[in-house]
Amino acid sequence: MALVSMRQVLDEAAKGGYGVGAFNVNNMEQIQAIMEAARETKSPVIIQASRGARSYAQDRYLVHLMQAAVELYPEIPVVMHLDHGNGVATCKSAVEQGFTSVMMDGSLMEDGKTPSSFEYNVKVTREVVEMAHANGVTVEGEIGTLGGIEDGHGAGVSGLAHLTDPDQAVEFVKLTGVDALAIAIGTSHGAYKFTSKPTGETLKMDRLIEIHKKLPGVHLVMHGSSSVPKDLQDVINQYGGKLRPTWGVPVEEIQLGIKNGVRKINVDTDNRLAITGAIRKVFAETPEKFDPRDYMKPAREAMKKVVALRMNQFGQAGHAGDYQPLTLEEVAKRYK
Ligand SMILES: [Zn+2]
């Protein structure tokens, strides 16, 4: 099986009424963890790399690791997605490298920090849609601005500062033709999302439901949607870590989103926490060890557990074999 179009994976998710986790990777072990979880749960997967990941790992390493994944797991549809492309050139280079889906985040200027105008966002996103769709590649856009900063990307403001305006979202989709839309409803990137369990005041699920009612045919994307579970925080702190108390997006809120048009859920922090906790535990309990495999193996296993759990919770489990993946050429023809 070749890498597949995200549009197809999300269309199928909409038909089946489930969501698909999009997990970030920087290295081989994270890709292996996701693929093992996908095999165990029979899930289609979206694996995504940010600009930071591309510069850390280099595109050629990432692309070849992803190709190894589709060779070794032929029963799993795999999407390779660019997370938070900051401009047309970044998205274009991803398409040229073999990514099958790109995010053009025109909600921020090219510096990845300054909130942009609606007109700018429409212009750059439209340009990426034309380029990507000609190649059968999916495009995710963003309207409104997410909170926090990750990998140097983000306005660094509260998740509530620039919530998505539902009417503007309708206009944006009409003008750009995006396949999927990231919306701002109060979530933030990183581990420190909420200072207590989120309420309707801090996590605006009502806004999401309103947007879905106006755009029932558009695949919505929840960014910054790690749940930051206390048990993962506790392992880190128990073995010498220093995380401040923090709350993420509760799984039941994500499940409410999935009932209301959310098809892609971005999760990174939970996996980072699982990996770090597992490594800290080995270092603390067996300080005489120095073979990287002694801590990378349990780290990979810890991430696999989190990913498999999310795949079950999002409902994608069991759906890997539901459909025959289209080639990107076929998808490109359909866009025409
Ligand atoms: Zn994001």
Side-chain angles (χ1 to χ4, degrees), residues 48 83-84 103 105 140 142 146 150 153 189 223-224 266:
Q48 57 187 14
D83 194 18
H84 290 286
M103 177 184 191
D105 179 1
E140 173 185 340
E142 176 170 325
L146 288 147
E150 190 146 36
H153 182 101
H189 293 120
H223 278 242
N266 288 9

Side-chain angles (χ1 to χ4, degrees), residues 6-21 42-46 77 219-220 254-255 257-265 310-323:
M6 188 167 83
R7 177 61 189 257
Q8 188 188 13
V9 168
L10 299 186
D11 283 349
E12 291 290 337
K15 268 190 240 166
Y18 58 90
V20 182
K42 302 184 169 58
S43 297
V45 294
I46 301 169
H219 304 309
L220 300 180
I254 297 170
Q255 289 167 333
I258 292 168
K259 287 199 183 86
N260 290 281
V262 171
R263 298 293 160 233
K264 174 172 180 273
I265 304 103
R310 295 288 176 269
M311 286 171 164
N312 280 309
Q313 289 166 329
F314 298 163
Q316 74 204 83
H319 289 288
D322 286 1
Y323 47 95

